[in-house]
Every structure is written in C-alpha cells, then in structure tokens.
Amino acid sequence: MNFLLALLLMLAVPWSGSAASPAANHENFLHCLSTSPAANVSKIVFYTPANPSYPSVLQFSIHNLRFNTSAAPKPIVIVTPQTTSHIQAAISCSHKHRLHLRVRGGGHDYEGLSYVASRPFFILDLINLSSVKVDVAARTAWIQAGATIGELYYQIGTQTTTLAFPAGVCPTVGVGGHFSGGGYGLSLRKFGLAADHIVDAHLVDVKGKVHNRASMGEDLFWAIRGGGGNTFGVVTAWKVNLLPVPENVTVFTVTKTIQQNATGIINRWQQVADRFPDDLFIRVILDRTETTTNSTATGRASFNSLYLGQVQSLLPLLQRDFPELGVEREDLIELTWIRSILYFAGYPTDSPLEVLRSRVPLTRKRNFKAKSDYVTEPMSERALEGIWRRILRPDIEDPELIFSPYGGRMSEIPESSIPFPHRAGTRYKIQHLVYWEREGREATDRHVDWIRELYGYLAPHVSKNPRLAYVNYRDLDVGSNNGAGFTSNEEARVWGVKYFKGNYERLVRVKTAVDPRNFFRNEQSVPPLTAWK
C-alpha cells in the first residue's frame, strides 16, 4: 500500500465509539476513490470523522438545527468534488461498495434529506462547484450546481442593471435544489419560475456518463426542471435565460396589526392579489408583534411588494385597486433590481453587493418545521381569525405564515410544461413555518404538533383531492418512501401527486428509464415502477 493511500485510510478512521466504525465498506470506498481512473486522487478532497475539519464541513451547510444534533445520523464520508470526474468517481465507488449517496448543494432541504439518511451514507457536497458565468450580450448564464442564488444575483448585478433572474429571496439557497424543485421569487407573476427559464444542463447519470440537454433527451431534461433533487442524476451545471427588467423597480413593506384591520385587509388582498398587473407582486407575511400601548402580543400582517416599474405608475394603481392597504408615497422605495434583492434579503439597500456572495445567513440558524398549501378560493375572515388565534399561542416561539399570490404568467404556463404543476386556478400559496431555539424533545414536539394542528385546521380552506404541496418546502408528513429504498410506486404516489399532480406518472416513467434500480433516492424521491433491492 503506497504512502498516500495509507494516509487516506488513517484519516478515514472515526472517533472511538462512533456509529461510523471503520468497517470494510467505507475503507473500500476510500480506496476506490483514491485509485479510480476517473479522477486524480491528489485533487479529491474528502472528510471523515477523524478529520478535525469534519464537524465544521458537515455543519456549515446545515440550515435547520433540528437535524444538527448528536443523535442525527452522520455521513461516513463527505466528498467535496472540484471537477465532474470526481463526481463520476464517487458514483462509481458508491455502486461498487454499496454506500448510499446524498447530494448537497446549499443545505436548505427542509427535512435535511441532503445530509441525513437512515442507512450508512456519504455526502457528495457540491460547495466547490460554484462558478457563475454571465453572458450579458446573449442574456444567458451558466451556473454550477453548488453556487448559491446570491452568487448568481451578484454576478448579474455587477454586469448589468437591466437583466434579472426570477429566483428566491434567500441568497444562501443553493441553485441545485432550488432549480430542481421549480424555484420561485417575487417576480413569478411576471416571469414564472426559475425552472421555466432553464435552457440546458449538464448531468452525470447513474452510470457516470456526462450529458447535456441534447444527449440526455427531452424527457430527462423535463424531469430535472422541477421533479425534485437527488432523483435522476447529479446535475453539475444549469444554463438559464436572463430576463429584462426596468432600470428602476419599486419596493415597499406596509404592516397592519389586528387592531388596524389586518384581517379585513388580508381578506381584500385575497380578492385582488392574483389579478393585479403581472408587474406587481404583493405577498403577506403573518406573524406576531407587541402592541405599542400595553406591550401585549398581537397579530401582524406585513404586505411586502416588488413592482417592476416606477413609483409614479405604482401609486395610482394601488390607490385604485387596493386602497384598503393605505399605501402612501413615502412607503415606496425606487431602486435598481439588484438593490431590491438586498432589500428582500434583509440587507440595507446601500450594502456592497459582495454580501450576496456570503454563504453565512444574515439571521441566526434555528430549529424549524415547514408545510405548504395552495388556495383556490378566498378563505373567510372567520378562518383568518382562527389563524391569528394559533399564531398568538404564547408557548410557540416564532410562528409565521407567508401568502404568495399567483396569477399573471403563472396562469399562462401549462401545468405539464415542467413537473411543477401549480399554475392556473391557484390564487396563492401558503408557506407554514415555525421556528424555535429551545433544545430538547419537549420543545420540538410542541412546535411540530403546533404546525400540524394548524395544517389540520386549514384543511377546509385549501386545495383538496389531493391537498397540494410544493416539493421545495419538503414535508415528510405528506408521505415518505421506505428508507431502505424498496418503496413501491403505489406508496410513493401518496405524496407524489400532492407535489406533482398528473405529472407524477411521467416522472415515474422517466425514472424507470434512467435509473431503474433506484440508485439516486431519498425519502421523497420519485421511484421507478419496480422496486429493487
């Protein structure tokens, strides 16, 4: 055994008593990596529990502290590829030594599926594949799958003021998972989803072969644009079209408490938000605050808006179509599109654009649980009052609901265009969230039970048969595959139709064609028609 290989295997030995003991499969996996003809071993970087950097590398991209505990399963190895050949080597060695693979981009999976598994596994962490190349003249960008949407925004914003991309508001989110589930932001009513504007991709398949759009075929290219991550292969890069925006856009946030008729204004918002001109997006964030008079808790609705136009045209539109909100000239801020990204991310709008490149979130990491719903008809004020009662429960640390309007371009794109199906007929989407800092089982159970009870309460007021959900707001409560990987198509359909509606069956056909033995899998990945061991 040569010196370098001996050194690698020495670092592979975990701490005494760890569940990841130095079993043959992981030593053989490391040996396979180090000797693979598909990669140069001197350039493969990986971490085992014996490596002092292992905890920091593992935890850096964990954004839900609910899965950053001593009891959470840990990977035997974290591989951080720097080239496509490293990914090919990892896939090949995973096959040979039956070590389960999880792919991590930004680490924002709501249920931790990119870095937690119930069987021995390794993480393929794409953090080093993070370059973004913008072509302003062609109005396109190539984005490596480990990049964040903040990096994408930075590269666009430093090169042009009149092109944009319709992705999310959180700059630390990885493009890999974001695009794989559809991905949306505050310009979805104008442009649709991020995945609606993907025009090419590079993917490593189950056999280690590298594809672009032409070689993978249109069925697989369709599936990876919204069919969920870690299912069909490892996407290493995406090509997207950039979209024109005005030199200046307008933003505002207006808050109303229950005492200021928040309930009635939300009720009116339900009637008009999906019918505004498609340049206008107004979402509503429901949480709680203290009253100014006696410091008691009350419900607060924050009307948070992006308008792809100037103040002079927005103000009369709001006064005509949504006077109940009471927006005044001093509420409106006109700025460039890239500065609006800073605004919605929570940064001062005069911050240097470099802050968008940071992978460290602006707010502290916490425990959280999330759910999602789609609303087709306005709920009553009485139903809204029931939401407020739950938000005001004093033993729940930080509850929040976000209502995001649809309509506009979202209603024009056919629901079979990509796997994401939630289009015409949707008034708005609800994201249910609850955050907490207190550690321990009791606190976790209390907050998870709270959001499940809220979810049950809302059942009469949201979509039905099936009750729909958004795959990027991952929620194992709506259904889960067998963790051992033997899930049948019938079992997976329980959750699959909630995320994908009628597109689920096509996703299964694609999966069966490209990964019939279900190598790429997690608790909510689309399985092939036949379950394999």
Side-chain angles (χ1 to χ4, degrees), residues 2 64 79 85 151 159 227 238 282 303 325 338 434 508 533:
N2 63 43
N64 189 345
V79 180
S85 64
E151 181 67 28
Q159 299 182 51
W238 308 87
I282 305 176
F303 295 83
L325 187 55
I338 192 62
V434 63
V508 171
K533 183 172 181 180

Side-chain angles (χ1 to χ4, degrees), residues 158-482:
T158 55
Q159 299 182 51
T160 174
T161 58
T162 56
L163 292 177
F165 191 73
V169 300
C170 178
T172 61
V173 168
V175 298
H178 192 61
F179 291 3
S180 295
Y184 80 97
L186 301 191
S187 56
L188 89 163
R189 302 192 64 254
K190 179 68 173 181
F191 298 124
L193 305 176
D196 292 326
H197 301 281
I198 296 169
V199 294
D200 203 348
H202 293 162
L203 174 142
V204 183
D205 71 11
V206 68
K207 296 179 181 179
K209 186 176 180 180
V210 180
H211 296 276
N212 59 15
R213 177 176 181 171
S215 66
M216 76 175 74
E218 288 301 303
D219 279 345
L220 180 52
F221 183 65
W222 174 85
I224 63 176
R225 293 175 294 151
N230 198 36
T231 298
F232 305 100
V234 179
V235 176
T236 62
W238 308 87
K239 184 181 182 181
V240 301
N241 282 333
L242 306 181
L243 302 162
V245 291
E247 285 277 0
N248 287 308
V249 303
T250 305
V251 300
F252 70 82
T253 302
V254 171
T255 61
K256 301 290 182 180
T257 65
I258 292 174
Q259 291 76 14
Q260 295 169 321
N261 193 31
T263 307
I265 299 171
I266 295 171
N267 191 39
R268 175 60 180 164
W269 174 91
Q270 292 184 104
Q271 316 291 330
V272 299
D274 65 318
R275 291 166 169 77
F276 284 136
D278 57 14
D279 290 324
L280 178 60
F281 176 96
I282 305 176
R283 66 177 179 172
V284 189
I285 303 170
L286 284 68
D287 60 6
R288 66 177 180 231
T289 188
E290 291 185 349
T291 60
T292 55
T293 53
N294 55 12
S295 298
T296 58
T298 187
R300 173 178 60 185
S302 299
F303 295 83
N304 188 225
S305 177
L306 170 67
Y307 176 62
L308 298 175
Q310 297 179 332
V311 168
Q312 63 187 20
S313 56
L314 175 58
L315 189 57
L317 188 162
L318 292 170
Q319 291 171 338
R320 183 190 71 217
D321 294 344
F322 198 15
E324 295 84 357
L325 187 55
V327 175
E328 299 179 356
R329 174 61 186 86
E330 53 266 33
D331 297 317
L332 307 179
I333 304 169
E334 195 171 296
L335 69 184
T336 61
W337 171 79
I338 192 62
R339 294 287 162 187
S340 78
I341 295 296
L342 293 169
Y343 176 85
F344 292 111
Y347 292 102
T349 57
D350 60 354
S351 299
L353 295 185
E354 284 77 10
V355 300
L356 295 173
R357 310 183 77 178
S358 174
R359 288 180 175 264
V360 179
L362 183 61
T363 57
R364 66 190 182 280
K365 295 179 180 180
R366 294 179 287 175
N367 304 286
F368 72 88
K369 171 69 178 174
K371 291 180 172 291
S372 60
D373 268 310
Y374 287 89
V375 178
T376 58
E377 294 297 333
M379 64 179 75
S380 66
E381 289 198 24
R382 183 175 181 181
L384 293 170
E385 289 166 355
I387 294 174
W388 288 128
R389 286 194 298 272
R390 288 160 174 82
I391 286 176
L392 292 174
R393 241 184 74 174
D395 61 334
I396 301 303
E397 290 185 28
D398 192 0
E400 180 178 284
L401 283 83
I402 304 174
F403 295 179
S404 295
Y406 275 40
R409 182 66 178 139
M410 289 296 287
S411 294
E412 298 169 355
I413 300 172
E415 64 179 44
S416 61
S417 175
I418 63 173
F420 179 99
H422 313 293
R423 305 287 189 171
T426 300
R427 284 183 180 260
Y428 61 96
K429 177 178 58 61
I430 301 176
Q431 181 177 191
H432 317 241
L433 287 159
V434 63
Y435 301 91
W436 67 99
E437 294 190 24
R438 184 180 295 275
E439 300 297 334
R441 174 53 55 190
E442 188 278 330
T444 296
D445 289 348
R446 174 163 28 96
H447 288 86
V448 171
D449 288 348
W450 176 88
I451 201 169
R452 288 172 175 165
E453 193 278 331
L454 171 68
Y455 187 76
Y457 167 77
L458 285 173
H461 310 290
V462 298
S463 59
K464 302 174 182 65
N465 301 316
R467 185 174 181 175
L468 301 173
Y470 176 37
V471 68
N472 271 0
Y473 294 159
R474 189 83 70 180
D475 178 13
L476 294 181
D477 290 346
V478 304
S480 178
N481 296 341
N482 182 319

